[in-house]
Amino acid sequence: MASQQRELIWAGRIHLGDDPGVYGDAAYAGLCTEFPITVTKFSSEPKDDIELVLNTAEVQVYDPYPGHQITLIGYQQIPESDPPRWQEVELLTERFKADTIQLRPSSTEGIKFLSVRVRVDTTVAPGLYDEFLLLRLSLRSSTHYASLGFQVG
């Protein structure tokens, strides 16, 4: 069971959308951004307990549009590759229309490196894309802790 405490991974203000300058106090990223994360297991529990929570602001998606896309990706080393090579494994893809998104992958066994990719809903006509802010990414877990960036070593 996940602990009720959230561990902060990142906080800031990133603007996603197709109209730069709407939020003067936020870094403009365009239509997509991605957060690299290292998760480290500290528990001997056999089952991983990981829930990532992304807080946003000003999300406004209207029906019948499906919403913005969020994808959780894991990175796995390809066995016996020389030189060592890695592959992306899509763990979870969802659409969201609200300001809080919770990602709970069914399995992260053997995965230490994750990334959270957020992409604007582009099923709407260009020029009418939603403008919104990414504010906070945190981890809720009883088996892992996390840090921003791929931490090797």
Side-chain angles (χ1 to χ4, degrees):
M1 171 118 198
S3 81
Q4 295 304 310
Q5 295 286 66
R6 288 189 203 171
E7 176 192 2
L8 180 65
I9 299 171
W10 170 86
R13 292 176 64 84
I14 297 178
H15 168 199
L16 290 180
D18 65 346
D19 193 6
V22 168
Y23 302 104
D25 61 344
Y28 177 68
L31 301 179
C32 184
T33 195
E34 193 163 351
F35 297 96
I37 301 166
T38 301
V39 290
T40 304
K41 190 164 186 165
F42 63 80
S43 170
S44 60
E45 292 290 323
K47 186 166 173 23
D48 291 347
D49 172 35
I50 292 176
E51 180 183 59
L52 293 162
V53 180
L54 180 67
N55 297 102
T56 67
E58 307 292 330
V59 171
Q60 294 181 346
V61 177
Y62 301 102
D63 288 331
Y65 299 106
H68 306 297
Q69 186 176 47
I70 187 163
T71 305
L72 181 62
I73 298 164
Y75 295 86
Q76 292 180 326
Q77 188 170 0
I78 299 171
E80 301 176 21
S81 59
D82 187 30
R85 293 181 22 185
W86 293 72
Q87 66 183 357
E88 290 185 352
V89 177
E90 189 174 297
L91 301 175
L92 182 64
T93 296
E94 294 182 1
R95 294 286 187 153
F96 68 94
K97 296 181 179 186
D99 284 337
T100 300
I101 304 98
Q102 297 169 328
L103 300 172
R104 183 176 277 281
S106 58
S107 175
T108 55
E109 186 66 34
I111 295 177
K112 179 175 179 154
F113 304 110
L114 300 171
S115 67
V116 177
R117 182 180 299 154
V118 183
R119 182 165 164 63
V120 171
D121 182 352
T122 56
T123 62
V124 181
L128 298 177
Y129 293 168
D130 187 21
E131 309 296 323
F132 64 99
L133 296 166
L134 304 178
L135 302 176
R136 176 183 299 257
L137 179 63
S138 54
L139 172 73
R140 194 180 289 160
S141 177
S142 61
T143 59
H144 289 74
Y145 64 90
S147 58
L148 186 64
F150 293 149
Q151 311 297 318
V152 180

